[in-house]
Amino acid sequence: QVQLVESGGGLVQAGGSLRLSCVASGSVRSIDAMGWYRQAPGKQRELVARITAGGSTNYADSVKGRFTISRDNAKNTVYLQMNSLKPEDTAVYYCDAQGTTHWGTAFGSWGQGTQVTVSS
């Protein structure tokens, strides 16, 4: 099994910053790509940022210039640095990862989510 655990969410005032972390553990041999998604109440889950094993990134237009995704391959960890937060950033943030298990099978997994609330 592969497990992903997010951390770093919380309550912050508009204009503030948060840093989210997500660690993959379990039967992980390699990770090809990792990403962050978010879902606000009554809305569809949307891509926030994604990073490949080679370091290529892409961002939602709404967060470009404010959020930065990065990864530490040695720790099987992906980060999301969020600056200049806005109330519309309020959502549950989820990380995902795709890769290969120790026994050679492909996996795709989601974390449990971490709540980010931005007050006006």
Side-chain angles (χ1 to χ4, degrees):
Q1 294 182 335
V2 176
Q3 300 85 38
L4 281 76
V5 179
E6 301 99 334
S7 62
L11 176 64
V12 65
Q13 190 176 41
S17 298
L18 286 173
R19 181 177 172 85
L20 306 183
S21 300
C22 175
V23 180
S25 62
S27 303
V28 178
R29 183 166 69 191
S30 63
I31 299 175
D32 299 320
M34 304 185 80
W36 287 96
Y37 294 74
R38 66 186 182 188
Q39 187 168 23
K43 296 183 178 180
Q44 300 278 15
R45 186 175 299 188
E46 64 175 349
L47 173 69
V48 177
R50 188 167 179 82
I51 185 168
T52 68
S56 298
T57 60
N58 64 286
Y59 298 89
D61 288 340
S62 60
V63 307
K64 286 181 179 177
R66 300 189 297 121
F67 291 10
T68 303
I69 189 171
S70 61
R71 64 190 291 170
D72 185 335
N73 292 330
K75 297 181 178 180
N76 288 335
T77 300
V78 63
Y79 306 94
L80 186 68
Q81 179 66 47
M82 305 185 295
N83 299 324
S84 301
L85 283 162
K86 304 175 181 179
E88 53 262 42
D89 295 319
T90 296
V92 178
Y93 284 70
Y94 301 88
C95 70
D96 83 305
Q98 299 82 47
T100 304
T101 67
H102 288 311
W103 51 86
T105 59
F107 73 86
S109 185
W110 293 92
Q112 83 289 347
T114 185
Q115 176 71 49
V116 172
T117 303
V118 184
S119 63
S120 300

